[in-house]
Amino acid sequence: MSSSIGVNVTSKVFRLNQPGEISEITIEREVSEGEVVVEPEITSICHADLRYFTGQRRPEALAKKLPMALLHEGIGRVIESRADHLQVGQRVVIVPNLPGFVTRRITKEECCSVCRAGVGENYCLNGGFLASGIDGMAQSRLVVPHENVIPIPDNIPDEIAVLAELCSVSHQALEMVSGKLAAGSAVVFGDGPVGYLTAAMVHHCFGLGKDRLTVFGAIEDKLSNFDFANREMVQTFNFEQAEKVDIAIECTGGKFSESAINQAIDMLAPGGHLILMGVTEELVPINTRDILEKGITVHGSSRSTSHDFRQVIRAMESPDYQNTLRKIVPKSYEKVSTADQLAKVMESAAAHRSWEKTIIEFQW
């Protein structure tokens, strides 16, 4: 049964006011029927958080979205519930995508043209996203619709569950080409966290082994972790003479996305699919001639839905998948109880880009 709760809940919020500056404020948040109050316990830092913190977003984006609490990858515990199926004390993963038809309690037909057309709830014109114009998980009481919290089974430990958001983004991208993956071949560009988790999903959830999955990287130490896939260094590989593949997934982002995208186009077979997952603030020149001549389909994907989270949580119950994911989990977490501590963790994460994820344990 839903617990008996008041109209409002008090939340301690660590807000980024401007690049490099985080302060603490207290906010009263309204709790409506069908919503859940979650205390974020463990979160991980995304490159998107670091772009806000370091001021690498476009000035107009910073002006529009700040001040704002960061962090959208995380798990927590239900503190209060106005949804019968979610109980106080439950450990849950938090879904940051907030489609308009969920937050407004209306039908998809009433929401917007995108929802009516069935394009995907992560593209809803009336939607929102935690830590992207809406306060994220750097707060003691997060109020979200019950659709945005998913119970975590007991056999999935915290250090695995906290990776669900990033894994869900990979799932969203890969499900678009699941038919091709069933019998085709794939390459992943990028030896960072996004590349690793995407390649791990291709292997564990879509069944591609070394005979059909190749990962391209630029740093040998990082690439060595991809022991479930064939591995190649981009500096020495001959892309023009390589065997053609059905699917190429770009997970580099930033200044390296230009070369990765064009190398992927070189490798794709006619009728192939190119998935772009890396984020860059700059325009990227790409080889449109070969896209046209080969009939390549280009997909963009950077967010996910509750459906993707549920599929990921189900997959994470596999011990083999858990063992693969553990390679990207640090040996210790960053403990945070004040705004200053969070700012120092963000500074350190920005200055020392580690292959492992930076994970925060909040001590409210």
Side-chain angles (χ1 to χ4, degrees):
M1 297 295 292
S2 300
S3 63
S4 178
I5 61 178
V7 176
N8 296 314
V9 64
T10 301
S11 181
K12 181 166 67 174
V13 184
F14 298 151
R15 271 188 173 168
L16 179 70
N17 300 308
Q18 60 184 16
E21 180 188 307
I22 297 176
S23 63
E24 177 185 327
I25 62 170
T26 300
I27 292 179
E28 290 287 323
R29 299 202 184 279
E30 183 179 355
V31 185
S32 302
E33 191 66 34
E35 291 186 322
V36 178
V37 182
V38 179
E39 180 180 286
E41 294 184 335
I42 300 175
T43 67
S44 63
I45 296 176
C46 174
H47 282 170
D49 298 313
L50 295 178
R51 284 192 291 274
Y52 281 116
F53 184 80
T54 58
Q56 293 179 350
R57 290 298 308 272
R58 296 187 184 97
E60 58 269 25
L62 292 172
K64 180 180 179 181
K65 297 191 177 186
L66 299 184
M68 172 185 71
L70 299 174
L71 307 176
H72 64 269
E73 303 174 4
I75 64 174
R77 205 165 289 273
V78 176
I79 299 301
E80 299 180 89
S81 175
R82 297 193 71 178
D84 289 342
H85 66 288
L86 291 165
Q87 305 302 315
V88 171
Q90 272 189 293
R91 193 171 55 116
V92 295
V93 64
I94 302 161
V95 180
N97 186 54
L98 298 161
F101 62 86
V102 171
T103 57
R104 300 181 183 191
R105 295 298 169 198
I106 57 177
T107 66
K108 292 183 179 181
E109 289 70 26
E110 296 172 303
C111 186
C112 70
S113 58
V114 170
C115 291
R116 283 193 294 274
V119 175
E121 62 190 60
N122 47 328
Y123 304 109
C124 173
L125 299 178
N126 295 319
F129 196 87
L130 298 180
S132 181
I134 298 174
D135 281 332
M137 298 178 195
Q139 59 178 306
S140 62
R141 295 293 182 266
L142 180 68
V143 180
V144 289
H146 70 82
E147 292 91 341
N148 285 76
V149 293
I150 299 173
I152 302 169
D154 291 341
N155 60 349
I156 301 178
D158 289 349
E159 70 267 19
I160 300 301
V162 75
L163 300 174
E165 196 278 337
L166 197 46
C167 292
S168 74
V169 174
S170 298
H171 183 272
Q172 165 78 201
L174 295 172
E175 195 169 58
M176 293 187 292
V177 294
S178 58
K180 282 272 189 179
L181 282 171
S185 54
V187 293
V188 174
F189 287 83
D191 50 21
V194 176
Y196 185 75
L197 294 178
T198 300
M201 177 156 287
V202 172
H203 173 64
H204 287 282
C205 302
F206 292 88
L208 276 68
K210 292 184 177 181
D211 57 327
R212 293 196 289 141
L213 173 61
T214 299
V215 177
F216 290 98
I219 301 175
E220 194 166 356
D221 286 347
K222 292 182 179 180
L223 198 58
S224 65
N225 290 289
F226 296 72
D227 54 8
F228 50 83
N230 183 40
R231 294 160 288 183
E232 297 286 353
M233 298 289 288
V234 292
Q235 298 94 325
T236 57
F237 190 81
N238 188 332
F239 288 96
E240 293 183 355
Q241 296 182 11
E243 184 177 343
K244 302 306 180 188
V245 298
D246 303 295
I247 298 156
I249 310 154
E250 180 271 320
C251 300
T252 55
K255 63 183 179 180
F256 299 111
S257 60
E258 177 184 343
S259 57
I261 290 169
N262 288 303
Q263 288 161 347
I265 292 169
D266 287 340
M267 285 201 71
L268 280 168
H273 292 256
L274 171 60
I275 299 175
L276 306 181
M277 294 183 65
V279 178
T280 177
E281 294 295 316
E282 305 299 328
L283 298 179
V284 177
I286 62 174
N287 178 8
T288 56
R289 175 177 291 278
D290 279 358
I291 290 178
L292 300 178
E293 289 187 356
K294 293 182 178 182
I296 292 170
T297 301
V298 181
H299 307 266
S301 187
S302 67
R303 292 181 177 176
S304 59
T305 68
S306 294
H307 164 75
D308 298 299
F309 273 81
R310 294 184 189 282
Q311 298 302 310
V312 166
I313 290 296
R314 187 174 295 116
M316 282 180 166
E317 295 190 79
S318 162
D320 287 343
Y321 192 25
Q322 290 184 17
N323 288 336
T324 296
L325 295 177
R326 277 195 182 90
K327 288 187 178 182
I328 208 162
V329 176
K331 293 181 174 61
S332 61
Y333 299 167
E334 301 290 341
K335 293 178 171 54
V336 168
S337 57
T338 68
D340 286 344
Q341 288 174 342
L342 178 57
K344 288 178 181 178
V345 171
M346 298 297 294
E347 288 172 3
S348 177
H352 310 97
R353 295 293 181 90
S354 171
W355 186 79
E356 297 173 335
K357 293 288 287 181
T358 299
I359 297 181
I360 294 171
E361 179 182 342
F362 280 111
Q363 300 178 328
W364 300 110

Coordinates of all heavy atoms in Angstrom, one line a residue, residues 316-358:
M316 N 21.5 -8.0 -16.2 CA 22.5 -7.9 -15.1 C 22.4 -9.0 -14.1 O 23.3 -9.1 -13.2 CB 22.3 -6.5 -14.4 CG 22.9 -5.3 -15.2 SD 22.7 -3.8 -14.3 CE 23.8 -2.7 -15.2
E317 N 21.4 -9.8 -14.1 CA 21.3 -10.9 -13.2 C 22.3 -12.0 -13.6 O 22.5 -12.9 -12.8 CB 19.9 -11.4 -13.1 CG 18.9 -10.4 -12.5 CD 17.5 -11.0 -12.3 OE1 17.4 -11.7 -11.2 OE2 16.6 -10.8 -13.1
S318 N 22.9 -11.9 -14.8 CA 23.8 -12.9 -15.2 C 25.2 -12.7 -14.5 O 25.8 -11.6 -14.6 CB 24.0 -12.8 -16.7 OG 25.2 -13.5 -17.1
P319 N 25.7 -13.7 -13.8 CA 27.0 -13.6 -13.2 C 28.1 -13.3 -14.2 O 29.1 -12.5 -13.9 CB 27.3 -14.9 -12.6 CG 25.9 -15.5 -12.3 CD 25.1 -15.0 -13.5
D320 N 28.1 -13.8 -15.4 CA 29.1 -13.5 -16.4 C 29.1 -12.1 -16.8 O 30.1 -11.4 -17.0 CB 28.9 -14.4 -17.7 CG 29.3 -15.9 -17.4 OD1 30.0 -16.1 -16.4 OD2 28.8 -16.7 -18.2
Y321 N 27.9 -11.5 -17.0 CA 27.8 -10.1 -17.4 C 28.3 -9.2 -16.2 O 29.0 -8.3 -16.4 CB 26.3 -9.8 -17.7 CG 26.0 -8.5 -18.3 CD1 27.0 -7.8 -19.1 CD2 24.8 -7.9 -18.2 CE1 26.7 -6.6 -19.7 CE2 24.5 -6.6 -18.8 CZ 25.5 -6.0 -19.5 OH 25.2 -4.8 -20.1
Q322 N 28.0 -9.6 -15.0 CA 28.4 -8.9 -13.8 C 30.0 -8.8 -13.8 O 30.6 -7.8 -13.5 CB 27.9 -9.5 -12.5 CG 26.4 -9.2 -12.4 CD 25.9 -9.8 -11.0 OE1 26.7 -10.0 -10.1 NE2 24.6 -9.9 -10.9
N323 N 30.6 -10.0 -14.1 CA 32.0 -10.0 -14.0 C 32.7 -9.1 -15.1 O 33.7 -8.5 -14.8 CB 32.5 -11.5 -14.2 CG 32.2 -12.3 -13.0 OD1 32.1 -11.8 -11.9 ND2 32.1 -13.6 -13.2
T324 N 32.1 -9.0 -16.2 CA 32.6 -8.1 -17.3 C 32.4 -6.7 -16.8 O 33.3 -5.8 -17.0 CB 31.8 -8.4 -18.6 OG1 32.1 -9.7 -19.1 CG2 32.2 -7.3 -19.6
L325 N 31.3 -6.3 -16.3 CA 31.0 -5.0 -15.9 C 31.9 -4.5 -14.7 O 32.2 -3.3 -14.6 CB 29.5 -4.8 -15.4 CG 28.5 -5.0 -16.6 CD1 27.1 -4.9 -16.0 CD2 28.7 -4.0 -17.7
R326 N 32.3 -5.4 -13.8 CA 33.1 -5.1 -12.7 C 34.4 -4.4 -13.1 O 35.1 -3.7 -12.3 CB 33.3 -6.3 -11.8 CG 32.2 -6.6 -10.8 CD 32.6 -7.5 -9.7 NE 31.4 -7.8 -8.9 CZ 30.5 -8.7 -9.1 NH1 30.7 -9.6 -10.1 NH2 29.5 -8.9 -8.3
K327 N 34.9 -4.7 -14.3 CA 36.2 -4.2 -14.7 C 36.2 -2.7 -14.8 O 37.3 -2.0 -14.7 CB 36.6 -4.7 -16.1 CG 37.0 -6.2 -16.0 CD 37.5 -6.6 -17.4 CE 38.0 -8.0 -17.4 NZ 38.6 -8.4 -18.7
I328 N 35.0 -2.1 -14.9 CA 34.9 -0.6 -15.0 C 34.6 0.1 -13.7 O 34.4 1.3 -13.6 CB 33.9 -0.3 -16.1 CG1 34.3 1.1 -16.8 CG2 32.5 -0.3 -15.7 CD1 33.7 1.3 -18.1
V329 N 34.4 -0.7 -12.6 CA 34.0 -0.2 -11.3 C 35.3 0.1 -10.5 O 36.2 -0.8 -10.4 CB 33.1 -1.2 -10.6 CG1 32.8 -0.7 -9.2 CG2 31.9 -1.5 -11.3
P330 N 35.5 1.2 -9.9 CA 36.7 1.6 -9.1 C 36.7 0.8 -7.8 O 35.7 0.3 -7.3 CB 36.5 3.1 -8.9 CG 35.0 3.3 -8.9 CD 34.5 2.4 -9.9
K331 N 37.9 0.7 -7.2 CA 38.0 -0.1 -6.0 C 37.4 0.6 -4.8 O 37.0 0.0 -3.8 CB 39.5 -0.3 -5.7 CG 40.2 -1.3 -6.7 CD 41.6 -1.5 -6.4 CE 42.2 -2.6 -7.3 NZ 42.2 -2.2 -8.7
S332 N 37.2 2.0 -4.9 CA 36.6 2.7 -3.8 C 35.7 3.8 -4.4 O 35.9 4.3 -5.5 CB 37.7 3.3 -2.9 OG 38.5 4.2 -3.6
Y333 N 34.8 4.2 -3.6 CA 33.8 5.3 -4.0 C 34.3 6.6 -3.4 O 35.0 6.6 -2.4 CB 32.4 5.0 -3.5 CG 31.8 3.7 -4.0 CD1 30.6 3.2 -3.5 CD2 32.4 3.0 -5.1 CE1 30.1 2.0 -4.0 CE2 31.8 1.9 -5.6 CZ 30.6 1.4 -5.0 OH 30.1 0.2 -5.5
E334 N 33.8 7.7 -4.0 CA 34.0 9.0 -3.4 C 32.9 9.4 -2.5 O 31.7 9.4 -2.9 CB 34.1 10.1 -4.6 CG 35.2 9.8 -5.6 CD 36.6 10.0 -5.0 OE1 36.7 10.7 -4.0 OE2 37.6 9.5 -5.6
K335 N 33.1 9.6 -1.2 CA 32.1 9.9 -0.3 C 31.8 11.4 -0.2 O 32.7 12.2 -0.1 CB 32.5 9.3 1.1 CG 32.5 7.8 1.2 CD 33.0 7.3 2.6 CE 32.8 5.8 2.7 NZ 33.5 5.1 1.6
V336 N 30.5 11.7 -0.4 CA 30.2 13.1 -0.5 C 29.0 13.4 0.5 O 28.0 12.7 0.5 CB 29.7 13.5 -1.9 CG1 29.0 14.9 -2.0 CG2 30.9 13.5 -2.9
S337 N 29.2 14.5 1.3 CA 28.1 14.9 2.2 C 27.9 16.4 2.1 O 27.0 16.9 2.7 CB 28.5 14.5 3.7 OG 29.7 15.1 4.1
T338 N 28.8 17.2 1.4 CA 28.7 18.6 1.3 C 28.8 19.0 -0.2 O 29.4 18.3 -1.0 CB 29.7 19.4 2.1 OG1 31.0 19.1 1.6 CG2 29.7 18.9 3.6
A339 N 28.4 20.3 -0.5 CA 28.5 20.8 -1.8 C 30.0 21.0 -2.2 O 30.4 20.7 -3.3 CB 27.8 22.2 -1.9
D340 N 30.8 21.4 -1.2 CA 32.3 21.6 -1.5 C 32.9 20.2 -1.8 O 33.8 20.1 -2.7 CB 33.0 22.2 -0.3 CG 32.7 23.7 -0.1 OD1 32.2 24.3 -1.1 OD2 32.9 24.2 1.0
Q341 N 32.5 19.2 -1.1 CA 33.1 17.8 -1.4 C 32.7 17.4 -2.8 O 33.5 16.8 -3.6 CB 32.6 16.8 -0.4 CG 33.2 17.0 1.0 CD 32.6 16.1 2.0 OE1 31.5 15.5 1.8 NE2 33.3 15.9 3.1
L342 N 31.4 17.7 -3.2 CA 31.0 17.3 -4.6 C 31.8 18.1 -5.6 O 32.3 17.5 -6.6 CB 29.5 17.5 -4.7 CG 29.0 17.2 -6.1 CD1 29.2 15.8 -6.5 CD2 27.5 17.5 -6.2
A343 N 32.0 19.3 -5.4 CA 32.8 20.1 -6.3 C 34.2 19.6 -6.5 O 34.8 19.5 -7.6 CB 32.9 21.6 -5.9
K344 N 34.9 19.2 -5.4 CA 36.2 18.6 -5.4 C 36.2 17.3 -6.2 O 37.2 17.0 -6.9 CB 36.7 18.5 -4.0 CG 37.1 19.8 -3.3 CD 37.6 19.6 -1.9 CE 37.9 20.9 -1.2 NZ 38.3 20.7 0.2
V345 N 35.2 16.5 -6.0 CA 35.2 15.2 -6.8 C 35.0 15.5 -8.2 O 35.7 14.9 -9.1 CB 34.0 14.4 -6.2 CG1 33.8 13.2 -7.2 CG2 34.3 13.9 -4.8
M346 N 34.2 16.5 -8.6 CA 34.0 16.8 -10.0 C 35.3 17.4 -10.6 O 35.7 17.0 -11.7 CB 32.9 17.9 -10.1 CG 31.5 17.4 -9.7 SD 30.8 16.0 -10.6 CE 30.6 16.8 -12.2
E347 N 36.0 18.2 -9.8 CA 37.3 18.7 -10.3 C 38.3 17.6 -10.6 O 39.0 17.6 -11.6 CB 37.8 19.7 -9.3 CG 37.1 21.0 -9.2 CD 37.6 21.9 -8.0 OE1 38.5 21.4 -7.3 OE2 37.0 23.0 -7.8
S348 N 38.3 16.7 -9.6 CA 39.3 15.6 -9.8 C 38.9 14.7 -11.0 O 39.8 14.3 -11.8 CB 39.3 14.7 -8.5 OG 40.1 13.6 -8.6
A349 N 37.6 14.4 -11.2 CA 37.2 13.6 -12.3 C 37.5 14.3 -13.6 O 37.8 13.6 -14.6 CB 35.7 13.3 -12.2
A350 N 37.3 15.6 -13.7 CA 37.6 16.3 -14.9 C 39.1 16.4 -15.2 O 39.5 16.3 -16.4 CB 37.1 17.8 -14.8
A351 N 39.9 16.5 -14.2 CA 41.4 16.6 -14.3 C 42.0 15.2 -14.6 O 43.1 15.2 -15.3 CB 42.0 17.2 -13.1
H352 N 41.5 14.2 -14.1 CA 42.1 12.8 -14.3 C 41.0 11.9 -14.9 O 40.4 11.1 -14.1 CB 42.6 12.3 -12.9 CG 43.4 13.3 -12.2 ND1 42.9 14.1 -11.2 CD2 44.8 13.6 -12.3 CE1 43.9 14.8 -10.7 NE2 45.0 14.5 -11.3
R353 N 40.9 11.9 -16.2 CA 39.9 11.1 -16.9 C 40.4 9.6 -16.8 O 41.2 9.2 -17.5 CB 39.8 11.5 -18.3 CG 39.2 12.9 -18.5 CD 37.7 13.0 -18.1 NE 37.2 14.3 -18.3 CZ 36.5 14.7 -19.4 NH1 36.4 13.8 -20.4 NH2 36.0 15.9 -19.5
S354 N 39.8 8.9 -15.8 CA 40.1 7.5 -15.6 C 39.3 6.6 -16.5 O 38.2 7.0 -16.9 CB 39.9 7.1 -14.2 OG 40.0 5.8 -13.9
W355 N 39.9 5.4 -16.8 CA 39.1 4.4 -17.6 C 37.9 3.9 -16.8 O 36.9 3.7 -17.3 CB 40.0 3.3 -18.0 CG 39.3 2.3 -18.9 CD1 39.1 2.5 -20.3 CD2 38.7 1.1 -18.6 NE1 38.4 1.4 -20.8 CE2 38.2 0.5 -19.8 CE3 38.6 0.4 -17.4 CZ2 37.5 -0.7 -19.8 CZ3 38.0 -0.9 -17.4 CH2 37.4 -1.4 -18.6
E356 N 38.1 3.8 -15.5 CA 37.1 3.4 -14.6 C 36.1 4.5 -14.4 O 36.4 5.7 -14.4 CB 37.6 2.9 -13.2 CG 38.5 1.7 -13.4 CD 39.2 1.3 -12.0 OE1 39.3 2.3 -11.2 OE2 39.5 0.2 -11.8
K357 N 34.9 4.2 -14.0 CA 33.9 5.2 -13.7 C 34.2 5.8 -12.3 O 34.8 5.2 -11.5 CB 32.5 4.6 -13.6 CG 31.9 4.1 -15.0 CD 31.6 5.2 -15.9 CE 30.3 5.9 -15.4 NZ 29.9 7.0 -16.3
T358 N 33.9 7.1 -12.2 CA 33.9 7.7 -10.9 C 32.6 7.6 -10.2 O 31.6 8.0 -10.7 CB 34.3 9.2 -11.0 OG1 35.6 9.4 -11.6 CG2 34.3 9.9 -9.6

